[in-house]
Amino acid sequence: MERRVLLTGFDPFGGERINPALEAVRKLEGRILEDIGVRVVAQELPTVFGKSIEVLAQAIEREQPEVVICVGQAGGRTHITPERVAINVNDARIPDNEGQQPVDEPVVEGGPAAYFSTLPIKAIVQAMRDAGIPAMVSNTAGTFVCNHVFYGLMHLLHTRSAGVRGGFIHIPYLPEQVADRPEPSMALETIVRGIEIAIRVSATADADVRVTGGTEC
Amino acid sequence: MERRVLLTGFDPFGGERINPALEAVRKLEGRILEDIGVRVVAQELPTVFGKSIEVLAQAIEREQPEVVICVGQAGGRTHITPERVAINVNDARIPDNEGQQPVDEPVVEGGPAAYFSTLPIKAIVQAMRDAGIPAMVSNTAGTFVCNHVFYGLMHLLHTRSAGVRGGFIHIPYLPEQVADRPEPSMALETIVRGIEIAIRVSATADADVRVTGGTEC
Amino acid sequence: MERRVLLTGFDPFGGERINPALEAVRKLEGRILEDIGVRVVAQELPTVFGKSIEVLAQAIEREQPEVVICVGQAGGRTHITPERVAINVNDARIPDNEGQQPVDEPVVEGGPAAYFSTLPIKAIVQAMRDAGIPAMVSNTAGTFVCNHVFYGLMHLLHTRSAGVRGGFIHIPYLPEQVADRPEPSMALETIVRGIEIAIRVSATADADVRVTGGTEC
Amino acid sequence: MERRVLLTGFDPFGGERINPALEAVRKLEGRILEDIGVRVVAQELPTVFGKSIEVLAQAIEREQPEVVICVGQAGGRTHITPERVAINVNDARIPDNEGQQPVDEPVVEGGPAAYFSTLPIKAIVQAMRDAGIPAMVSNTAGTFVCNHVFYGLMHLLHTRSAGVRGGFIHIPYLPEQVADRPEPSMALETIVRGIEIAIRVSATADADVRVTGGTEC
């Protein structure tokens, strides 16, 4: 029996013409990991407060996945960074793709202050590193649409889909985005290999491993 | 009638011989801000999981402050950074000052995933900037003893001291800590001025201002 | 008639087990660029003051190249960085691979303070960027064996091989070198494509282009 | 007999309203270091290719100093950085204060590729560090007006004023310049103390110390 993993990526924002998350997710759309009986389903999300969560909810309803991994661009980061925690706040430094710029509003009115990822983030980081892929746990997903979708996802899973694992992974810029700017990047091929590892570990690990992914600040 | 503001700073950790937070807090110990009727009380905290919160709880019990501001060193940061959110996890990359190194354990068993600061962090940042002091909101206090105390503080205030404002502010290294290492720093005098501004704004602002302190990631 | 381009890469140093420069250069060894009549010859250099220049001089003598491009690892950089200038100083923060650690000694006793690269570095950067590869001019090659070989090369070409173009290109870490450290990297495939572009431009450009590659500091 | 040390600072450029170099230099104008018989003379330089060197030459002619230290802002640096080498190139990423933007032109037509500082830069760094002031040697002064003046100074001293020590020191932004931007800074008081140390060491050291100030790249 086929198990589904739902992967999402955002459309470009912040003046960029491409979004590495969308590029990576498209490469994995439809991929079948036969050895673990998994089929990857990809979904594009608009970089828009509100709508992004609606589209995500519909995709979850339609696909009934066992695992949901949302992927987003983290400009300036050097590593693939599975996120630990989503917080209940929208605080937009720049407008979203429909011009909304909420400040200090909750993602879900009355929701808890935060949700932790239910992906095995330490095991994912460990497996990526074993494969030579730069990875580390992140303790903040920011306060823009990435965190918004991450919080929305965890709230959905918590309230409606107990047992479905979910979380968010931030990825660096692609090389072509920063060819003439002093920012770090990662090749699409490396990112795609990393995301596939995240899928495999998320779909098969019984529990997370107990290794540190902490920081002093 | 005198109102008290409790300020805390940690003893040195991670191989450092001084902790800028403790140095700054000592400079402000006993200071009286006559115009707003505030007296500053300083308390040293051990950089130790558990004990740090116990000492903090005793100081709150003893001093009955209106505002509590915990201050900690954020090595590598360039700005004074009021923290937005404390998360319910201890994940130590390095041992604390008694050799403890918890991984993925809760600060408070059964506590909520996170607490938001109740300090007016946006107003604090704005006032520091108006005074020419580098400041920005931070969306992660890490997962070491700083976050631990921050979470412990907010849990204490939430469960026992409704109406007392509290939060955490991270500060950069002092110049003498990084004289021969490529890390940013801030003069003690600048830090002290910044913390005093945080005290004033926290003790007097009716509500926070609505300006962004967000990041995309 | 075949024209030769000599490419050099160093063996690993500073505790690393691989050197991205050597990996990249090996991938290009023997490559024939038919359209421009160029054959690539690769040479490994020891990361050793003195010996590195001797081995380079022998390779130039043996291969009689039209262009010489020395490649080295620049840990911490995000971009491929053609170097502008070599300076007449050895100042080693760490020992070389034979334990030598010269401080403030000249590369060539009595030599000029510096040599400028004779590669068309601006045109190289422009062509890399047009291909989506992160690139920028660097104004310092450091003071270790990379700068040493760069200076040695330019001195050799200046004194014995007028008309042969030469220079130095620094490249980032490979992803597997920094999988668990917070440092930027670049995929080997991207680096190899970049170096091939540098070879093509160096072998064919009449003169450099007049675009800025400057910095304020 | 009084010995003079000439100190220069630039007027603001690049959209800044102040220049920390000028602020620091003004604080030291007229200072008399009695114990070593030194009087500090300060001179403002325009951030303009050509004119800056003319004004500098006039000040040297007028003051007949024993030591000349030019100071400039290095936005983004965390430490005070005595420069090792000036290179014979103007390559402006941004226009100077009169709109000039030379690309790959020599500072001095026919001049040597570079000049080394004749200040005891290692001893200066060591003395600053001993005083708790963040300092390190820099191996590039960039390619804008700072490097231009540095090269111009060394060329002047080399051709006309044998025996006069000279060099360039870059300093970080002031805190108020970066209050709302994620850039490092240094307090004016710290910078002034650092520059005074540089004056003392430059005016009294017999020779530089032999300690590394090198980098791999």
Side-chain angles (χ1 to χ4, degrees):
Chain A
M1 201 189 85
E2 192 189 70
R3 306 148 68 205
R4 291 190 179 183
V5 170
L6 176 63
L7 216 54
T8 73
F10 291 101
D11 49 15
F13 67 92
E16 298 290 331
R17 282 178 308 177
I18 56 176
N19 188 316
L22 189 56
E23 302 302 314
V25 158
R26 280 177 178 158
K27 289 273 185 193
L28 288 158
E29 157 67 12
R31 187 166 300 189
I32 293 168
L33 308 176
E34 286 197 14
D35 53 331
I36 56 170
V38 159
R39 177 193 173 89
V40 179
V41 184
Q43 173 67 49
E44 181 171 346
L45 300 181
T47 301
V48 176
F49 288 101
K51 268 194 195 167
S52 50
I53 294 179
E54 288 167 31
V55 174
L56 172 64
Q58 289 160 8
I60 291 174
E61 183 62 30
R62 184 179 67 240
E63 303 293 347
Q64 297 290 319
E66 278 193 21
V67 174
V68 184
I69 302 177
C70 298
V71 184
Q73 165 188 295
R77 291 197 188 163
T78 58
H79 283 48
I80 299 182
T81 47
E83 295 290 346
R84 188 195 292 263
V85 63
I87 61 175
N88 193 14
V89 69
N90 299 325
D91 188 355
R93 193 185 61 89
I94 57 173
D96 73 11
N97 285 354
E98 291 191 355
Q100 301 175 92
Q101 199 167 356
V103 171
D104 291 352
E105 298 175 1
V107 179
V108 174
E109 191 71 45
Y115 283 107
F116 288 106
S117 176
T118 52
L119 300 179
I121 56 173
K122 305 293 183 75
I124 290 171
V125 165
Q126 200 171 61
M128 286 185 189
R129 289 178 174 183
D130 288 348
I133 298 171
M136 58 181 56
V137 167
S138 165
N139 295 305
T140 175
T143 58
F144 193 55
V145 184
C146 287
N147 173 74
H148 174 82
V149 157
F150 181 15
Y151 186 94
L153 166 66
M154 301 318 296
H155 190 70
L156 278 171
L157 298 186
H158 185 76
T159 51
R160 298 195 216 161
S161 309
V164 176
R165 273 182 172 169
F168 197 97
I169 297 179
H170 264 122
I171 59 174
Y173 282 130
L174 295 179
E176 54 264 44
Q177 292 180 277
V178 299
D180 59 358
R181 301 186 271 159
E183 297 272 7
S185 63
M186 185 177 280
L188 182 57
E189 189 272 340
T190 310
I191 293 171
V192 169
R193 278 198 300 133
I195 302 293
E196 183 179 327
I197 287 171
I199 294 169
R200 287 183 170 280
V201 173
S202 298
T204 59
D206 286 332
D208 204 354
V209 293
R210 198 174 166 284
V211 293
T212 186
T215 53
E216 288 78 75
C217 68
Chain B
M1 200 189 84
E2 190 188 73
R3 306 150 66 205
R4 290 189 180 184
V5 170
L6 176 63
L7 216 54
T8 74
F10 292 101
D11 50 16
F13 67 91
E16 298 289 331
R17 283 177 307 177
I18 56 175
N19 188 316
L22 189 56
E23 302 302 313
V25 159
R26 279 177 179 158
K27 291 271 185 194
L28 288 159
E29 157 67 16
R31 186 165 303 189
I32 292 167
L33 309 175
E34 286 197 16
D35 52 332
I36 56 171
V38 159
R39 178 193 172 89
V40 179
V41 184
Q43 174 66 48
E44 180 172 345
L45 300 181
T47 301
V48 176
F49 287 102
K51 266 192 195 168
S52 50
I53 294 178
E54 288 167 31
V55 175
L56 172 65
Q58 289 160 10
I60 292 173
E61 183 62 30
R62 186 179 66 240
E63 303 293 347
Q64 297 290 322
E66 278 193 22
V67 174
V68 184
I69 303 177
C70 298
V71 184
Q73 164 188 295
R77 291 196 187 164
T78 57
H79 282 47
I80 299 183
T81 46
E83 295 290 346
R84 188 195 294 263
V85 65
I87 60 175
N88 192 13
V89 69
N90 299 324
D91 188 356
R93 193 185 62 89
I94 58 173
D96 71 12
N97 284 354
E98 291 190 354
Q100 302 175 93
Q101 198 167 359
V103 171
D104 291 352
E105 298 175 3
V107 180
V108 175
E109 191 70 45
Y115 283 108
F116 288 105
S117 176
T118 52
L119 300 180
I121 56 173
K122 305 293 184 73
I124 290 171
V125 165
Q126 201 171 61
M128 287 185 190
R129 290 177 175 183
D130 287 348
I133 298 171
M136 60 181 55
V137 168
S138 165
N139 295 304
T140 175
T143 59
F144 193 56
V145 183
C146 287
N147 173 74
H148 175 82
V149 157
F150 181 15
Y151 186 94
L153 166 66
M154 301 317 296
H155 190 70
L156 278 171
L157 298 187
H158 186 75
T159 51
R160 298 194 217 161
S161 309
V164 175
R165 274 182 172 168
F168 197 98
I169 297 180
H170 264 121
I171 58 174
Y173 282 131
L174 295 179
E176 54 264 44
Q177 291 179 280
V178 299
D180 60 358
R181 304 186 267 159
E183 298 272 8
S185 62
M186 186 176 280
L188 182 57
E189 188 272 342
T190 310
I191 294 172
V192 169
R193 278 198 300 134
I195 302 293
E196 183 179 326
I197 287 170
I199 293 170
R200 287 184 171 280
V201 173
S202 298
T204 58
D206 286 331
D208 204 353
V209 293
R210 198 174 166 282
V211 293
T212 185
T215 53
E216 288 79 73
C217 67
Chain C
M1 201 188 87
E2 192 187 71
R3 306 148 69 204
R4 292 190 177 182
V5 170
L6 176 63
L7 216 56
T8 73
F10 292 100
D11 51 15
F13 67 91
E16 299 289 331
R17 281 179 309 177
I18 57 175
N19 188 315
L22 189 56
E23 302 301 314
V25 158
R26 279 177 178 157
K27 290 272 184 195
L28 288 159
E29 157 67 12
R31 186 164 303 188
I32 291 167
L33 308 176
E34 284 198 17
D35 53 330
I36 56 170
V38 160
R39 177 194 174 88
V40 179
V41 184
Q43 174 67 49
E44 180 173 345
L45 301 182
T47 302
V48 176
F49 287 101
K51 267 193 196 168
S52 50
I53 294 178
E54 288 168 31
V55 175
L56 172 65
Q58 289 160 10
I60 292 173
E61 183 63 29
R62 185 179 67 241
E63 303 294 345
Q64 298 290 319
E66 277 193 22
V67 174
V68 184
I69 302 177
C70 298
V71 183
Q73 165 189 295
R77 290 196 188 166
T78 58
H79 282 48
I80 299 182
T81 45
E83 295 290 347
R84 188 195 293 264
V85 64
I87 61 176
N88 192 14
V89 70
N90 299 325
D91 188 355
R93 193 184 62 89
I94 58 173
D96 73 11
N97 284 354
E98 291 191 353
Q100 301 175 93
Q101 199 168 357
V103 171
D104 291 350
E105 297 175 4
V107 180
V108 174
E109 191 70 46
Y115 284 107
F116 288 105
S117 176
T118 52
L119 299 180
I121 56 173
K122 304 292 183 75
I124 290 171
V125 165
Q126 199 170 62
M128 287 186 189
R129 289 178 174 183
D130 288 348
I133 298 171
M136 58 182 56
V137 168
S138 164
N139 295 306
T140 174
T143 59
F144 193 55
V145 184
C146 288
N147 173 74
H148 175 83
V149 157
F150 180 16
Y151 187 94
L153 165 66
M154 301 317 295
H155 191 70
L156 278 171
L157 298 186
H158 185 76
T159 51
R160 298 195 216 160
S161 309
V164 176
R165 274 181 172 171
F168 197 97
I169 297 180
H170 264 121
I171 59 175
Y173 282 130
L174 294 179
E176 55 264 43
Q177 291 179 278
V178 298
D180 60 358
R181 302 187 268 158
E183 297 272 8
S185 62
M186 186 176 280
L188 182 57
E189 189 271 342
T190 310
I191 293 172
V192 169
R193 278 198 300 134
I195 302 293
E196 184 180 325
I197 287 170
I199 294 170
R200 285 186 172 278
V201 173
S202 298
T204 59
D206 285 333
D208 204 353
V209 293
R210 199 175 165 282
V211 293
T212 185
T215 53
E216 287 80 74
C217 68
Chain D
M1 200 190 86
E2 191 188 70
R3 306 149 68 207
R4 292 190 178 182
V5 170
L6 176 63
L7 216 55
T8 73
F10 291 101
D11 50 16
F13 67 92
E16 299 289 332
R17 281 177 308 176
I18 56 175
N19 189 315
L22 189 55
E23 302 302 314
V25 158
R26 280 176 179 158
K27 291 271 186 195
L28 288 159
E29 158 66 14
R31 187 165 302 189
I32 291 167
L33 308 175
E34 286 198 15
D35 53 330
I36 57 171
V38 159
R39 177 194 173 89
V40 180
V41 184
Q43 173 67 49
E44 180 172 346
L45 300 181
T47 302
V48 176
F49 287 101
K51 267 193 195 167
S52 49
I53 294 178
E54 287 167 32
V55 175
L56 172 65
Q58 289 160 8
I60 292 172
E61 183 63 31
R62 186 180 65 240
E63 304 293 346
Q64 298 289 319
E66 278 193 22
V67 174
V68 184
I69 303 177
C70 298
V71 184
Q73 164 188 295
R77 290 196 188 166
T78 58
H79 283 47
I80 299 182
T81 46
E83 295 290 346
R84 188 194 293 265
V85 64
I87 60 176
N88 193 14
V89 69
N90 299 325
D91 188 356
R93 193 185 63 89
I94 57 174
D96 72 12
N97 284 353
E98 291 191 355
Q100 302 175 92
Q101 199 167 358
V103 172
D104 291 351
E105 298 175 3
V107 179
V108 174
E109 191 71 45
Y115 283 107
F116 288 106
S117 175
T118 53
L119 300 179
I121 56 173
K122 305 292 183 76
I124 290 171
V125 165
Q126 200 171 60
M128 287 186 189
R129 289 178 175 183
D130 288 347
I133 298 171
M136 58 181 55
V137 168
S138 165
N139 295 305
T140 174
T143 59
F144 193 56
V145 184
C146 287
N147 173 75
H148 175 83
V149 157
F150 181 15
Y151 186 95
L153 166 66
M154 301 318 295
H155 190 71
L156 278 171
L157 298 186
H158 184 76
T159 52
R160 297 194 217 161
S161 309
V164 175
R165 274 180 172 170
F168 197 97
I169 297 179
H170 264 121
I171 58 174
Y173 283 130
L174 295 179
E176 56 263 44
Q177 290 179 279
V178 299
D180 60 358
R181 306 186 265 160
E183 298 272 7
S185 62
M186 185 176 281
L188 182 58
E189 188 271 341
T190 310
I191 293 171
V192 169
R193 278 198 300 134
I195 302 293
E196 183 179 326
I197 287 171
I199 293 169
R200 285 184 172 280
V201 173
S202 298
T204 59
D206 286 334
D208 205 354
V209 294
R210 198 176 165 282
V211 294
T212 184
T215 54
E216 288 78 75
C217 68

